Amino acid sequence: MKLDDTRQTIAETFDRTADTYDAVGVDFFGVFARQLLDDVGPIAGDDVLDIGCGRGAVLFPAAERVGPTGSVLGIDLSPAMVARTERDIADLGLDITVAVMDAQDPVLPGRLFDTILSSCVVFFLPDPIAALRAWHDLLRPGGRIGLTTFCGDDPRWSPVREVFGPYIPPEMIWSMVNPANPMASTENFESALGSAGFTSPSSVIREHEITFADPTHWVDWSWSHGQRLFWELIPPAEQPAVRAEVLSRLAPLRDPDGCVRMKQAVRYTVAHRP
Ligand SMILES: C[S@@+](CC[C@H](N)C(=O)[O-])C[C@H]1O[C@@H](n2cnc3c(N)ncnc32)[C@H](O)[C@@H]1O
């Protein structure tokens, strides 16, 4: 798979999630976005760039914080995500701009920002360090960047994840487990930020409990975001059997109230442009 194929695959996958993304009754991306904003603390009047803005989990609360004297621009690779978010912005009558753009190599001539935010995105990029370098150059001196990355999986959920294993190409598995991956550890990630020119990176790992009403709710949710990629690697004829296997492995994880709960560890990293 060439780099451009990968980007096209990612864009098309998110195009297919756009209608349901963050809209199936699971508070997931919003939790991380609100915490990231608390950590980075954009203030009234700031110019904010949200990279990989999706359906606006970061974008909308960021706009509230910077107020009418600030500005918020969101960029995303997926035309459908951008179109849906644009419609939400219009419905709410807000002054937020969104554009289709590749975060790997953003082209924003003459634009500089006080704050750059990017939640749950950097691990989709083919060359994260080169992207971070480009993002560094979009910050004003003294500006801040805030990022979230996933770090670690709930061990109770291993039997569910294992169902997808045989369908994932080895090179994809290797990039997820490669200890040299910039996202493999806090040390790697902060060092990647340093090589991109950022100073004083600091990270906090927080564990969030995510609740699904029942096993089927988890399956529906897993189709509504990037995990859809893994479902779509399964030949369509095999998907019903895989779905049944996933549901049977989720059954023992149910709590007495019928819900299934997953612990999600998230790394929140803030760094600065000197
Ligand atoms: C997991 S979603 C996160 C969206 C949003 N930040 C949030 O927290 O809900 C990842 C987003 O990154 C976008 N994305 C992936 N690769 C990208 C790239 N190369 N350039 C721009 N956006 C990208 C996807 O289209 C998707 O909207």
Side-chain angles (χ1 to χ4, degrees), residues 7 10 14 21-22 29 33 50-55 57-58 75-78 81 101-104 119-121 124-126 226:
R7 267 181 257 188
I10 289 171
F14 279 102
Y21 183 91
D22 221 4
F29 296 105
D50 177 18
I51 298 185
C53 61
R55 293 296 305 275
V58 171
I75 61 167
D76 199 283
L77 191 63
S78 154
M81 294 289 258
M101 196 178 293
D102 190 350
Q104 181 62 57
S119 192
C120 310
V121 175
F124 287 111
L125 304 179

Side-chain angles (χ1 to χ4, degrees), residues 17-268:
T17 70
D19 283 335
T20 53
Y21 183 91
D22 221 4
V24 296
V26 180
D27 200 10
F28 189 75
F29 296 105
V31 175
F32 317 146
R34 292 189 294 274
Q35 181 63 60
L36 180 66
L37 282 158
D38 283 347
D39 286 357
V40 178
I43 54 169
D46 273 2
D47 295 317
V48 173
L49 173 64
D50 177 18
I51 298 185
C53 61
R55 293 296 305 275
V58 171
L59 210 56
F60 292 109
E64 246 176 63
R65 286 182 182 239
V66 304
T69 56
S71 71
V72 179
L73 168 65
I75 61 167
D76 199 283
L77 191 63
S78 154
M81 294 289 258
V82 169
R84 297 294 188 294
T85 304
E86 206 157 40
R87 200 174 63 195
D88 295 342
I89 293 167
D91 289 347
L92 293 166
L94 294 172
D95 185 14
I96 297 175
T97 309
V98 280
V100 177
M101 196 178 293
D102 190 350
Q104 181 62 57
D105 188 18
V107 182
L108 292 163
R111 295 289 305 267
L112 287 176
F113 300 89
D114 302 295
T115 305
I116 292 181
L117 299 163
S118 189
S119 192
C120 310
V121 175
V122 73
F123 37 74
F124 287 111
L125 304 179
D127 185 348
I129 298 183
L132 289 171
R133 243 179 245 125
W135 302 0
H136 170 270
D137 294 347
L138 289 170
L139 270 182
R140 295 199 169 101
R144 287 148 300 167
I145 187 167
L147 306 118
T148 67
T149 43
F150 295 124
C151 56
D153 294 314
D154 188 333
R156 284 175 69 240
W157 284 64
S158 297
V160 179
R161 281 189 300 276
E162 281 162 10
V163 178
F164 295 88
Y167 301 96
I168 302 176
E171 63 276 14
M172 207 188 262
I173 294 188
W174 173 240
S175 90
M176 291 189 279
V177 298
N178 180 357
N181 181 317
M183 273 74 64
S185 67
T186 298
E187 196 187 14
N188 285 12
F189 195 50
E190 292 189 353
S191 152
L193 282 158
S195 15
F198 292 99
T199 55
S200 50
S202 69
S203 302
V204 178
I205 294 173
R206 297 186 179 90
E207 196 174 75
H208 302 275
E209 186 176 76
I210 311 297
T211 301
F212 306 93
D214 56 33
T216 311
H217 192 204
W218 181 81
V219 171
D220 293 345
W221 174 78
S222 67
W223 275 93
S224 74
H225 60 97
Q227 189 151 8
R228 185 185 188 104
L229 254 171
F230 296 119
W231 280 111
E232 291 183 346
L233 289 169
I234 302 167
E238 292 179 43
Q239 285 179 9
V242 173
R243 179 191 160 91
E245 183 60 26
V246 165
L247 289 173
S248 83
R249 291 182 184 215
L250 279 167
L253 299 184
R254 288 183 94 165
D255 287 331
D257 63 359
C259 295
V260 280
R261 293 183 171 82
M262 180 180 78
K263 299 251 191 313
Q264 180 65 63
V266 177
R267 182 187 299 116
Y268 297 83

